[in-house]
Amino acid sequence: MTTFSGLGDISKRINLSWFYPGISKFQDDLKGNQEKYFNFLNTPHEGSKPVLLYIHIPFCESFCAYCACFKEPLGKYTHDDRSRFVDALLREMEMYAHSEYFSGLKINHIQFGGGTPSCLDNDLMEKIFAGIEKNFDLAPNRGVSFEGNVMTLKSVNKLQHLKDLGVKRLSFGIQTFDEQIRKELKIKAASADIYETVDAIHSVGFPSFAIDLIYNLPNQDLKLLENDLLKTCREIAPAFIQTYRFNQFYNTWLQKKIAGGYYANPPSAEKELLMFEFIMDFLAKQGYNNQVLINMFSNEPSPDLTGLELSLGNNNPQGSYALGLGPGSMSFLGKRSYRTYCSIKDYVEAVEAHQFPVEAGNVCTEEVAESRLMVFFPNFTRTALTNIPPKYQDAIGQLVREGYAAFEENEVVLTKKGKLWAGDISFLFYTPDEKKKLQTSFYYSLKNKKNPFNQDDMNVSQ
């Protein structure tokens, strides 16, 4: 039974869900069981679903303090080391592409994330694109999204090379224009570098790019947030603006710094709620009134797909698949949710031993598979009424009665109030087992001094 306890309680406000079912290496350890787990690849897939191919490039030239994504220092690896990693990536690619399961499945979107994909050598990036073309059946109108950072995307040569390879959409993080906060977060680029990067993107002629902003940052107030939004809309003018709440991941040194009272104006649940409402109102007035996803705003009425839609099940019962390659990547295939090793060494050695480099994974129960659509519907801010399973009709009706959602034509849509509590609404539809698993994974992460995001050592204070 879905309950509404806690909904509207700021002290219990929940972050949005981007992965479901959850993966925990403390509860989903697959060591020694990979072969049995991946037996499904020996049989044809059922039906036809759009597929997102996600490539995780785990190298960064410098580490930002807030980032929990898996990465390792670029300077630690020679060109030969990086080439060995790419060879492993291509072998992992072949393990899927040559399986019975992938026969006839088309790749509809290719997304590069990390890490910092744009810091990888041009010749190695060419090998990856060639491998994708060789191994997979690619949809003619496929999208290709590519994450980078300000410093590496300043290079016109780098940008032209990416465009020639087929990249259609770039994204990079601004986070904030405030120089002091940027230094606190260990962001290497200065604000002036952002403008150089944007000029370079325009000079090469990329049709679309997206930027990231973070709100509820340490020492950030509404005035600083408004300045970030104003500069972004009027001076940068990207096709997409993605806004991310600042995550205080336990066990990290930055979280302990905040908890220790270092900042005069620390992040808070109250500030986060206030800032997200401000963001939605401000961006709508600046022409970014197409809320493509709960945290993504566009100034285009019908923008191309970003790839994120496919990782979230495509907002329909037929769903979509996400195949993640590279260390620290996540996949959802055939009701299986799993993650590769958060270690370049472990990843490469597993692939070279002809094993799937997967450390943790599970198989959805029918109950979890059914709930997945409803867990992700707040990310899209709406879903068709025909998508809602009968068992969830009462919960939707209650959300409408309490003003968190409304019926519009053939859809249920989140109201402004509902958008402010989207994470909590998403959590309403977690199965009891998934709620318990999330709590248990958090407990074991604290006990083992791991970052709860991937249960790894990203920015952990030892």
Side-chain angles (χ1 to χ4, degrees), residues 160-447:
Q160 187 61 57
H161 184 253
L162 293 174
K163 187 178 181 183
D164 292 342
L165 288 175
V167 174
K168 297 180 181 178
R169 175 179 170 269
L170 295 170
S171 66
F172 62 93
I174 289 177
Q175 319 313 359
T176 178
F177 285 90
D178 185 81
E179 296 293 357
Q180 185 57 43
I181 296 178
R182 292 177 70 84
K183 289 178 182 177
E184 286 286 341
L185 298 178
K186 299 189 180 298
I187 300 174
K188 185 177 180 180
S191 294
D193 296 309
I194 296 170
Y195 295 100
E196 286 187 44
T197 297
V198 172
D199 287 343
I201 290 172
H202 286 310
S203 70
V204 173
F206 267 96
S208 176
F209 72 94
I211 64 91
D212 299 342
L213 293 175
I214 301 178
Y215 61 97
N216 195 27
L217 287 164
N219 284 347
Q220 185 185 44
D221 56 23
L222 273 180
K223 184 177 180 181
L224 290 178
L225 175 62
E226 181 178 19
N227 182 63
D228 289 342
L229 293 169
L230 196 62
K231 286 179 178 291
T232 299
C233 294
R234 296 187 179 180
E235 299 174 6
I236 307 301
F240 298 91
I241 298 174
Q242 290 179 262
T243 60
Y244 291 96
R245 59 170 260 178
F246 174 73
N247 281 305
Q248 297 184 57
F249 289 105
Y250 282 84
N251 285 335
T252 62
W253 66 266
L254 184 56
Q255 183 270 333
K256 292 184 178 182
K257 196 174 179 180
I258 293 167
Y262 178 81
Y263 296 103
N265 182 5
S268 70
E270 293 82 3
K271 191 168 76 167
E272 178 183 302
L273 191 66
L274 178 68
M275 285 187 165
F276 186 58
E277 183 174 12
F278 183 85
I279 286 168
M280 287 194 293
D281 292 341
F282 188 93
L283 290 181
K285 292 175 183 176
Q286 296 294 322
Y288 286 85
N289 50 9
N290 185 359
Q291 200 164 356
V292 181
L293 293 172
I294 187 69
N295 71 328
M296 180 183 287
F297 305 83
S298 179
N299 56 6
E300 299 177 358
S302 300
D304 292 334
L305 290 178
T306 65
L308 291 174
E309 299 91 342
L310 299 184
S311 69
L312 297 172
N314 215 26
N315 202 24
N316 65 60
Q318 291 72 41
S320 54
Y321 288 150
L323 171 61
L325 303 177
S329 64
M330 297 188 186
S331 299
F332 184 81
L333 283 177
K335 295 185 180 179
R336 285 160 175 79
S337 186
Y338 58 92
R339 182 180 63 235
T340 55
Y341 288 112
C342 290
S343 160
I344 293 177
K345 178 178 181 293
D346 292 345
Y347 168 83
V348 170
E349 289 180 352
V351 174
E352 289 180 345
H354 306 288
Q355 299 170 355
F356 284 98
V358 174
E359 67 173 350
N362 52 64
V363 181
C364 292
T365 64
E366 289 299 324
E367 184 184 19
V368 170
E370 187 178 39
S371 68
R372 194 168 184 263
L373 174 69
M374 300 307 299
V375 168
F376 285 148
F377 116 75
N379 298 59
F380 293 91
T381 75
R382 61 182 63 234
T383 194
L385 294 176
T386 53
N387 289 348
I388 303 170
K391 66 186 289 184
Y392 299 119
Q393 294 288 349
D394 288 346
I396 292 296
Q398 191 172 346
L399 287 172
V400 171
R401 287 192 296 275
E402 296 190 10
Y404 293 99
F407 294 121
E408 290 185 6
E409 297 182 353
N410 298 318
E411 294 184 312
V412 59
V413 302
L414 295 185
T415 61
K416 183 180 180 181
K417 177 182 176 182
K419 291 175 181 177
L420 294 173
W421 296 94
D424 299 72
I425 293 170
S426 178
F427 194 65
L428 291 175
F429 298 102
Y430 271 54
T431 66
D433 285 347
E434 281 297 309
K435 289 181 179 180
K436 182 179 179 181
K437 180 179 178 181
L438 186 65
Q439 294 166 347
T440 304
S441 180
F442 182 73
Y443 166 76
Y444 280 116
S445 295
L446 294 185
K447 181 180 179 181

Side-chain angles (χ1 to χ4, degrees), residues 124-139:
L124 299 181
M125 192 58 70
E126 285 179 19
K127 287 180 68 173
I128 295 173
F129 271 87
I132 294 171
E133 292 275 355
K134 175 184 176 182
N135 287 294
F136 289 106
D137 188 4
L138 305 178

Side-chain angles (χ1 to χ4, degrees), residues 5-15 269 421 423-424 427:
S5 60
L7 189 57
D9 184 345
I10 289 180
S11 67
K12 297 180 180 179
R13 190 163 178 264
I14 298 171
N15 195 7
W421 296 94
D424 299 72
F427 194 65

